Amino acid sequence: MNSIKRLFSLNIAILFILGLMITTSSFSQDKAIIRMGATDTHSFDDSWLFIRYGLQPDGSRIEEPQNAESTTYNDNAWQKLSLPHDWAITGPFRIDLEGGTGKLPWKGIGWYRKHFTVPAADAGQQIFVDFDGAMANAKIYLNGHYVGTWPYGYNSFRMDLTPYIKVGKENILAVRLDTENWDSRWYPGAGIYRHVWLVKTNPVHVANWGTYITTPTISDASATVKMAVTIDNQSKLPVEASVQTAVFELDSHNKPGAKVALFNKSIIKIEADTNTTTTIQAIVKDPKRWDIISPNRYMAQTTVSVNGKVVDTYNTPFGIRTIEFIADRGFLLNGRRIEIQGTCNHHDLGALGAAINTSALRRELTILKTMGCNALRTSHNPPAPELLELADQMGFLVWDEAFDCWKHGKRELDYNKLYDEWNVRDLKAMVHRDENHPSVFIWSIGNEVMDQRNVEMTKHLADVVRGEDPTRPISNGYNDPDGGRESGAVEALDLMGVNYFFNQQAKWDADPRYKNKPTMGSETSSCVSSRGEYFFGNDYQNWQISSYDNAYPGWGCSPDEQFRTNAKYPHLLGEFVWTGFDYIGEPTPYNSDETNLQNFRNDPEKRKELAAKLDELRKKNPPSRSSYFGIVDLAGFPKDRFYLYQSHWRPDYPMAHILPHWNWPERIGKITPVNVYTSGDEAELFLNGKSLGRKTKIPGKDFRLVWDSVKYAPGELKVVCYKNGKQWATDVVKTTGEAARLTLSADRTVIKADGADLSYITVKVTDKDGLMVPRSHPLIKFSVAGPGEIVATDNGDATSFVSFQSHERPAFNGMALVIVKAKKGQTGKIVVKAESAGLVSTAMAITSK
Ligand code: GAL
């Protein structure tokens, strides 16, 4: 049989070289992650014990005991683990569970315990435990005593252990999490899924997130750096504290380098059990701006002294940059107009689930950067601190978002249950933690909240944020922009965020009431596709979606259509595409979740139409468990759309991409449309050396070139692209031979032996000439030898029920992924092997250092 093949390697090679260029220029894989806070901070991730009560993975229940927090409770049989931990990602996927949250059994009651000692020398110190995030309804106990709660799973929070800590003896920290009383429109994960830290301070110390740096004046010659420092005095006596801050440049490894300024010293009096804020100032000469191209940063190191003795040292990384949003000029970063080329992303990391991992996140951001993405929207909740640190390091702008709902939920047990009691605390927690990040350029108080027309609520939340940080604009993602505008709720905001519905833009532009509100596409397109699938006639087949990039739900549009809108209304600030990466859950259009209807809040006809479709879908019970919205699939493999965005977002980068693949033995002589994505403006397509004609883009109108009457014949498709009349880029797709072997390539061949650093290894099924064979799905077995282990596998197939932990998985359209880490503390050579019956197997070595 004449099988088909696709010269994927050219684009991947380009991608790789480019990725490398970016990697070695503006950021490096080895840069340290800096954490704002006291220097006496220790990772508290290791040696936890875990047990799951309530709902079990198979749907049965185990009754929760009454006293799992008590010091005498027997936890001998609990599972030993290290954080971050997502208890639900091991599944199993269950067809009876909701596709909306990934068909994973994430609901349950999780208990964690940690036995630890603090040295006797710590007597008199304040001891805190900082959680970067715990899903959800966290209740914290120390030595059997209740310490506190933080229900919203996406916020970071601090617990003061001091009252119950026993120095020089064993302590037991117990954490109860409850996801049974939480609902979500996407996979939220479950557990202590972010890092935990033990912080020790003197009773007189910088408060949690107690520094706030602004840069009120910036010129090429100098920048004024203002810093508000809040000092807590948790001692029993009033104190006089001296506060001093020095500013260091952060070097290329993210380490403090040259000292560039010293703030004026401030002496403050603080009564017992209170706090006081002092504002100090410094001048940084010849400031190096933080920018998306050159993400320079500084570190403010604050020391607090009492009676001449240093009692606390606190680090605050920051950047110097200006941001301006002008209704008729767009967004200016350091005075230069930047079009927002953003992507929305949920927090999960594909096969790793919600458990945060820096290498995984860095890989995602590297892929997005290579595409030309310059901004991230943290949909629809505060992100892990590492995301903001990486955005600062790598040069991304961040739309930092608080909520998916306010007082009225989208699901039964949404944030609506917490709103009254927690909205102020949650908003302040987000702003305090994130306000020193130069990458954060917009605060968002919500996404398509049901209360988006409510003037009072909008004003209240915007005022809370403004009260904490008046230097960044506040927005809200509207799916009922008319409602928000007509009610006047929008007036409380600085920026208008519009999700979809841009067909109204001309009307808004003509209305004098709306003219002065800078507007951006806070969510756009929602194009859906499955990597490597191409259908003719009907875009939706076998629970997959054609990759011709013309499929989207009723509220969405193609990427090209949004580009046209952006070109037509250049005063729009840009867009955040839904989404950069596929995510677990929300497998629209195979999602039978009613929240889909919310996008047609004011259109009863559309709601009715969609409700009928959802009814039909429910009867069929789709196996889909992850999204199709991603420009990049769940395994991190670019879909065709990646190249469409790259062609538009990186106009100076020579590239061309042909779709579909050219393995269609059943289509000989049949019309098989060919699309080309290129940053050029003209292209000529050849089939087996014969020209199929030259096509030219009309600026502002065409973003792809389409040859829609190509009759399929096996062989070679080649495109030669031009820009301004000169040859610019080419791409070739060939009909491949039969699958013959497996090939491996790793994003990183040297990893740290810290038990967390990861290597992502891509497996391709190729023919004997090394061309990736599309439509091939052989079962692949993975194994490792040496000091490493397999963390997870994936292939990007949204319908696969194979566990992410499985060491066997079929390729999906010629590709699969294995994620490997080194065993903690074990260095040496890790050999990763991939085998498949009838194919030449392959292995590669990763070094653990
Ligand atoms: C939006 C919503 C997103 C996601 C998207 C899918 O309305 O804000 O969270 O659901 O639709 O198209």
Side-chain angles (χ1 to χ4, degrees):
M1 188 179 86
N2 192 10
S3 91
I4 309 200
K5 105 209 256 196
R6 163 96 171 76
L7 191 67
F8 204 73
S9 43
L10 183 64
N11 279 313
I12 291 291
I14 290 172
L15 181 72
F16 177 70
I17 291 164
L18 186 79
L20 213 66
M21 269 162 48
I22 291 175
T23 307
T24 47
S25 58
S26 53
F27 55 87
S28 122
Q29 296 266 338
D30 290 316
K31 275 191 183 173
I33 293 288
I34 312 181
R35 200 176 158 78
M36 180 177 79
T39 47
D40 204 357
T41 296
H42 310 266
S43 169
F44 218 42
D45 286 344
D46 283 344
S47 308
W48 286 80
L49 300 168
F50 170 73
I51 197 162
R52 177 173 176 163
Y53 293 118
L55 272 172
Q56 298 300 302
D58 63 0
S60 64
R61 286 196 77 88
I62 297 181
E63 262 344 287
E64 183 187 10
Q66 284 303 308
N67 53 351
E69 75 281 7
S70 95
T71 47
T72 52
Y73 192 83
N74 183 348
D75 55 20
N76 282 343
W78 291 24
Q79 183 191 342
K80 292 191 175 67
L81 51 79
S82 288
L83 307 176
H85 174 234
D86 175 354
W87 80 56
I89 195 62
T90 44
F93 291 107
R94 275 174 32 209
I95 191 72
D96 58 308
L97 293 175
E98 280 190 344
T101 50
K103 296 206 171 284
L104 284 167
W106 61 279
K107 291 216 170 207
I109 309 285
W111 273 95
Y112 293 82
R113 282 164 65 100
K114 183 177 165 82
H115 299 239
F116 67 102
T117 48
V118 291
D122 285 344
Q125 292 281 87
Q126 296 296 127
I127 310 284
F128 304 99
V129 61
D130 286 357
F131 290 84
D132 287 350
M135 188 66 67
N137 294 305
K139 287 203 163 75
I140 318 296
Y141 304 84
L142 183 69
N143 298 328
H145 302 277
Y146 175 69
V147 181
T149 180
W150 201 288
Y152 191 36
Y154 295 106
N155 256 335
S156 301
F157 58 92
R158 164 170 284 191
M159 291 284 152
D160 189 351
L161 303 183
T162 319
Y164 307 116
I165 200 93
K166 294 185 279 185
V167 295
K169 293 197 185 122
E170 187 187 74
N171 292 276
I172 298 173
L173 182 65
V175 180
R176 179 187 190 270
L177 299 179
D178 168 7
T179 47
E180 290 183 11
N181 284 293
W182 184 247
D183 276 342
S184 181
R185 294 190 303 113
W186 56 88
Y187 176 69
I192 310 181
Y193 71 107
R194 292 184 184 160
H195 294 294
V196 179
W197 307 87
L198 190 75
V199 184
K200 300 174 183 180
T201 70
N202 186 279
V204 181
H205 59 96
V206 177
N208 189 28
W209 307 320
T211 54
Y212 173 47
I213 294 182
T214 52
T215 47
T217 58
I218 303 175
S219 72
D220 286 348
S222 72
T224 314
V225 183
K226 226 169 117 180
M227 183 175 197
V229 187
T230 302
I231 311 286
D232 279 348
N233 175 10
Q234 292 188 281
S235 74
K236 297 282 162 276
L237 295 170
V239 293
E240 193 174 82
S242 144
V243 181
Q244 175 86 75
T245 297
V247 181
F248 300 87
E249 261 181 38
L250 283 175
D251 68 15
S252 57
H253 300 288
N254 241 1
K255 295 270 177 339
K259 191 193 226 178
V260 295
L262 201 60
F263 281 76
N264 59 306
K265 189 186 257 180
S266 167
I267 313 277
I268 50 172
K269 221 172 157 178
I270 321 163
E271 295 303 323
D273 256 329
T274 61
N275 59 55
T276 300
T277 301
T278 177
T279 301
I280 50 180
Q281 200 159 301
I283 301 289
V284 172
K285 294 225 174 77
D286 305 321
K288 293 185 180 154
R289 316 273 168 112
W290 181 90
D291 198 279
I292 53 174
I293 322 171
S294 50
N296 298 305
R297 279 192 303 165
Y298 294 90
M299 162 94 91
Q301 189 160 79
T302 304
T303 48
V304 183
S305 309
V306 175
N307 298 328
K309 192 175 148 245
V310 174
V311 293
D312 193 26
T313 307
Y314 190 99
N315 288 332
T316 313
F318 70 99
I320 297 175
R321 61 15 171 198
T322 60
I323 50 171
E324 294 162 88
F325 298 81
I326 305 171
D328 55 358
R329 280 183 64 205
F331 166 63
L332 310 185
L333 176 65
N334 298 319
R336 188 168 50 101
R337 188 180 193 279
I338 305 273
E339 168 123 12
I340 309 302
Q341 301 173 168
T343 56
C344 300
N345 288 291
H346 275 310
H347 72 314
D348 77 64
L349 294 168
L352 306 184
I356 187 69
N357 180 285
T358 304
S359 347
L361 206 51
R362 204 191 295 264
R363 170 180 180 253
E364 286 199 354
L365 299 192
T366 305
I367 292 168
L368 291 175
K369 188 107 195 168
T370 308
M371 181 171 71
C373 172
N374 62 17
L376 309 165
R377 176 180 180 213
T378 70
S379 325
H380 300 297
N381 44 259
E386 290 77 12
L387 180 117
L388 297 180
E389 166 63 18
L390 288 174
D392 284 356
Q393 277 185 20
M394 294 166 72
F396 283 95
L397 297 157
V398 177
W399 162 298
D400 200 353
E401 187 151 279
F403 304 121
D404 193 46
C405 63
W406 298 344
K407 215 173 167 97
H408 294 93
K410 298 176 182 171
R411 312 296 311 260
E412 201 191 327
L413 302 170
D414 249 337
Y415 194 78
N416 55 323
K417 297 283 179 211
L418 303 175
Y419 181 84
D420 283 336
E421 206 184 326
W422 284 88
N423 73 77
V424 175
R425 270 180 283 179
D426 275 319
L427 261 185
K428 285 190 175 179
M430 174 181 91
V431 176
H432 280 167
R433 194 197 64 175
D434 298 348
E435 65 197 354
N436 293 315
H437 286 278
S439 56
V440 174
F441 78 138
I442 296 171
W443 299 117
S444 165
I445 54 174
N447 171 61
E448 301 189 353
V449 295
M450 307 300 272
D451 314 288
Q452 61 195 281
R453 293 176 176 215
N454 189 303
V455 181
E456 215 178 302
M457 253 186 259
T458 310
K459 189 167 172 342
H460 157 74
L461 295 169
D463 284 348
V464 170
V465 176
R466 215 167 272 130
E468 303 304 313
D469 174 36
T471 71
R472 294 171 177 87
I474 301 165
S475 195
N476 188 12
Y478 277 89
N479 62 333
D480 177 17
D482 279 326
R485 285 176 148 131
E486 305 284 317
S487 75
V490 164
E491 291 312 307
L493 304 170
D494 305 300
L495 284 185
M496 183 66 197
V498 176
N499 291 7
Y500 314 100
F501 306 109
F502 276 94
N503 49 4
Q504 310 285 314
Q505 190 59 41
K507 186 184 84 184
W508 298 326
D509 277 351
D511 193 323
R513 290 175 302 169
Y514 310 144
K515 268 217 147 95
N516 293 327
K517 198 63 79 186
T519 300
M520 76 162 66
S522 35
E523 208 171 300
T524 59
S525 184
S526 269
C527 184
V528 279
S529 62
S530 310
R531 178 184 50 78
E533 296 286 341
Y534 305 92
F535 305 137
F536 306 89
N538 174 8
D539 279 338
Y540 306 95
Q541 296 178 31
N542 306 326
W543 311 114
Q544 303 290 358
I545 303 160
S546 180
S547 263
Y548 274 101
D549 296 335
N550 283 315
Y552 43 84
W555 55 87
C557 66
S558 67
D560 329 37
E561 187 56 41
Q562 188 63 37
F563 293 159
R564 259 171 241 134
T565 301
N566 299 349
K568 194 162 159 197
Y569 305 105
H571 56 289
L572 291 176
L573 306 177
E575 62 172 313
F576 284 97
V577 180
W578 190 264
T579 49
F581 274 71
D582 271 332
Y583 51 95
I584 306 174
E586 213 187 23
T588 305
Y590 307 124
N591 182 14
S592 47
D593 181 331
E594 293 234 331
T595 55
N596 281 342
L597 296 174
Q598 279 156 11
N599 276 316
F600 299 112
R601 316 167 48 98
N602 303 312
D603 191 337
E605 279 311 304
K606 275 253 162 50
R607 286 178 73 96
K608 228 165 100 188
E609 204 182 292
L610 190 55
K613 277 195 191 153
L614 290 178
D615 273 351
E616 276 312 297
L617 206 55
R618 279 201 190 108
K619 285 180 208 145
K620 293 186 188 149
N621 201 10
S624 307
R625 48 71 168 160
S626 51
S627 81
Y628 300 82
F629 290 117
I631 299 171
V632 181
D633 77 14
L634 199 71
F637 302 141
K639 301 181 190 172
D640 291 294
R641 256 185 292 153
F642 176 95
Y643 302 98
L644 180 50
Y645 283 100
Q646 189 180 54
S647 70
H648 185 52
W649 285 354
R650 300 190 59 192
D652 299 330
Y653 171 58
M655 55 76 61
H657 176 81
I658 298 176
L659 67 110
H661 61 71
W662 214 236
N663 276 26
W664 302 106
E666 74 280 25
R667 298 189 64 78
I668 291 181
K670 290 193 190 151
I671 301 279
T672 306
V674 173
N675 286 206
V676 169
Y677 301 151
T678 177
S679 48
D681 48 28
E682 208 177 349
E684 185 166 10
L685 185 68
F686 300 87
L687 176 55
N688 293 328
K690 190 172 158 264
S691 174
L692 299 181
R694 207 160 160 142
K695 308 239 175 220
T696 309
K697 286 183 189 168
I698 300 175
K701 182 170 172 283
D702 297 323
F703 296 92
R704 65 174 93 187
L705 293 168
V706 177
W707 284 259
D708 52 12
S709 53
V710 180
K711 286 199 180 131
Y712 178 76
E716 181 189 276
L717 260 186
K718 178 174 180 180
V719 72
V720 180
C721 300
Y722 300 85
K723 189 158 181 148
N724 301 324
K726 292 209 182 91
Q727 193 171 321
W728 177 249
T730 63
D731 190 22
V732 177
V733 171
K734 287 182 185 170
T735 307
T736 75
E738 304 273 341
R741 58 180 70 235
L742 300 175
T743 65
L744 297 181
S745 61
D747 70 334
R748 303 171 68 212
T749 50
V750 181
I751 54 176
K752 284 187 226 125
D754 62 0
D757 213 15
L758 302 176
S759 177
Y760 277 76
I761 300 171
T762 300
V763 187
K764 282 192 200 152
V765 182
T766 71
D767 68 2
K768 63 175 182 11
D769 299 325
L771 292 174
M772 193 197 73
V773 184
R775 304 169 94 183
S776 61
H777 303 92
L779 182 68
I780 302 170
K781 291 184 188 175
F782 300 98
S783 56
V784 291
E789 57 192 273
I790 293 175
V791 178
T793 61
D794 193 6
N795 61 13
D797 176 0
T799 66
S800 170
F801 274 32
V802 175
S803 158
F804 288 127
Q805 284 69 45
S806 173
H807 293 190
E808 280 187 25
R809 143 174 334 266
F812 179 59
N813 291 324
M815 294 172 88
L817 173 77
V818 54
I819 309 170
V820 171
K821 72 172 177 183
K823 289 187 181 149
K824 201 169 178 171
Q826 296 188 30
T827 56
K829 202 158 130 191
I830 304 167
V831 177
V832 183
K833 195 166 181 191
E835 297 167 277
S836 182
L839 304 182
V840 177
S841 64
T842 180
M844 78 176 294
I846 303 291
T847 306
S848 159
K849 260 193 166 162

